[in-house]
Amino acid sequence: MNESQLQQYRTRLLDLREQLRDEIQEGIEAIDAEIHPVGDVSPEPGEGLDCELALVHNEERMRQAVNEALRRIDDGTFGICVACGRVLPQARLEAIPYAGCCIVCERKIEDQPPKPD
Ligand SMILES: [Zn+2]
């Protein structure tokens, strides 16, 4: 991968991080509004809150992945699978610029039951 490609990914990742930051902020505000409703409007309990929490949780994880990808750009290891060391296919990075490992490793990680330490 050359320098200009790296720059493009960096720009995309930075944009994505901004977007996620705003979405997380909005999600947190929505959660806050559910927990502490303003005025005497009683909120509908249930689905709304769970849904928002799951969404924010996912976005936080994605933001983490974006941060790690940005660090790999600085380290010079961007585009290399963190698990097996193979070069990630360009198509995968195009689709998911924050992908840390190849599809094979991702499947392995997902299939593995958590090990007791
Ligand atoms: Zn791999």
Side-chain angles (χ1 to χ4, degrees), residues 80-86 88 100-106 108:
I80 297 167
C81 175
V82 294
C84 70
R86 286 196 201 109
L88 298 179
C101 57
C102 66
I103 290 168
V104 178
C105 291
E106 192 174 86
K108 271 191 214 155

Side-chain angles (χ1 to χ4, degrees), residues 30-50:
I31 290 165
D32 205 46
E34 298 249 6
I35 297 171
H36 309 287
V38 181
D40 50 19
V41 185
S42 49
E44 298 267 323
E47 261 182 27
L49 188 58
D50 282 352

Side-chain angles (χ1 to χ4, degrees), residues 1 3 28 30 50 65 103 110:
M1 192 172 306
E3 197 60 33
I28 288 170
D50 282 352
I103 290 168
E110 278 171 10

